[in-house]
């Protein structure tokens, strides 16, 4: 509900903000400098349709069974010397994180930059490949209404899911494929003396340096993500 409220507030605020940006300008227009042009191009806010589509897709994500958290991140100003502005910056509605749990209650998170196109960051032991038909650039355009979020989630084919819920569905499928690997790594971490990496390790890390005896030799093993129970 808090996320939906934030999106709705942005929808109400943007028309007033955008209409008011030109109202206080008088006199002749000056030609913008190159630096000003660059700043404008990098800080252009998303269109109103973006927020409408985002609100609908968040509604679907919130109804997905294994989702435990949906959050937005603060956008940090490019000027690193302006710490005050960074600390007081509001939550940005273009940097999304979605957390879920797998069948063994392990927590996993994927991150996405949503504007102007979707850029994903995942912590998986192999490349996360999306379907070619998924539209990542200007994904909010031609966005269909979502009259019943729960009905969309219950559609097993995933063909009618909007892009963000579909990404999450594919992410969960990837997690399911890697369950044997996660089980083997968790078994190593809980029963052996792991020197590297520091625990808890990232899910993409399939290498372990194991101490053979205190003050003695160590051994490095690397598990195959596609054959986790095979010979390392």
């Amino acid at each position: 509900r808090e996320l939906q409220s934030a999106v709705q507030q942005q929808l109400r605020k943007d028309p007033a903000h955008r209409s008011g940006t030109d109202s206080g300008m008088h006199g002749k227009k000056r030609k913008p400098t190159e630096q000003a042009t660059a700043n404008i191009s990098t800080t252009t806010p998303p269109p109103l349709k973006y927020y409408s589509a985002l609100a609908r897709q968040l509604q679907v994500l919130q109804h997905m069974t294994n989702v435990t958290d949906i959050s937005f991140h603060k956008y940090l100003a490019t000027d690193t010397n302006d710490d005050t502005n960074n600390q007081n910056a509001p939550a940005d509605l273009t940097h999304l994180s979605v957390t879920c749990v797998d069948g063994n209650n392990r927590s996993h998170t994927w991150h996405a930059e949503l504007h102007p196109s979707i850029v994903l960051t995942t912590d998986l032991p192999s490349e996360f490949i999306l379907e070619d038909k998924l539209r990542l650039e200007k994904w909010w355009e031609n966005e269909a209404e979502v009259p019943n979020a729960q009905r969309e989630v219950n559609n097993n084919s995933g063909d009618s899911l909007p892009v963000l819920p579909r990404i999450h569905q594919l992410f969960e499928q990837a997690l399911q494929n890697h369950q044997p690997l996660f089980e083997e790594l968790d078994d190593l971490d809980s029963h052996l003396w792991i020197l590297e990496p520091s625990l808890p390790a990232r899910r993409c890390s399939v290498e372990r340096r194991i101490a053979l005896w205190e003050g003695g030799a160590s051994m490095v093993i690397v598990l195959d993500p596609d054959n986790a129970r095979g010979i390392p």
Side-chain angles (χ1 to χ4, degrees), residues 41-56:
S41 63
T42 57
T43 60
T44 302
L48 295 181
K49 195 170 185 178
Y50 166 92
Y51 296 106
S52 300
L54 180 60
R56 291 192 293 268

Side-chain angles (χ1 to χ4, degrees), residues 104-165:
N104 288 291
N105 209 34
R106 303 182 187 92
S107 181
H108 307 269
T109 303
W110 58 272
H111 309 275
E113 182 179 339
L114 303 178
H115 183 267
S117 62
I118 294 177
V119 180
L120 290 173
T121 303
T122 62
D123 185 13
L124 292 172
S126 59
E127 184 180 2
F128 183 44
I129 301 176
L130 297 175
E131 300 166 328
D132 292 337
K133 64 181 180 180
L134 280 180
R135 179 176 182 175
L136 302 183
E137 284 193 28
K138 296 184 178 180
W139 52 270
W140 57 87
E141 293 184 355
N142 301 322
E143 175 71 11
E145 295 288 339
V146 183
N148 188 318
Q150 188 62 51
R151 186 172 62 201
E152 294 292 333
V153 173
N154 292 337
N155 187 308
N156 294 327
S157 67
D159 293 337
S160 65
L161 281 175
V163 60
L164 296 179

Side-chain angles (χ1 to χ4, degrees), residues 90-105:
D92 182 36
L93 296 181
T94 62
H95 294 76
L96 174 71
S97 291
V98 179
T99 300
C100 64
V101 293
D102 61 23
N104 288 291
N105 209 34

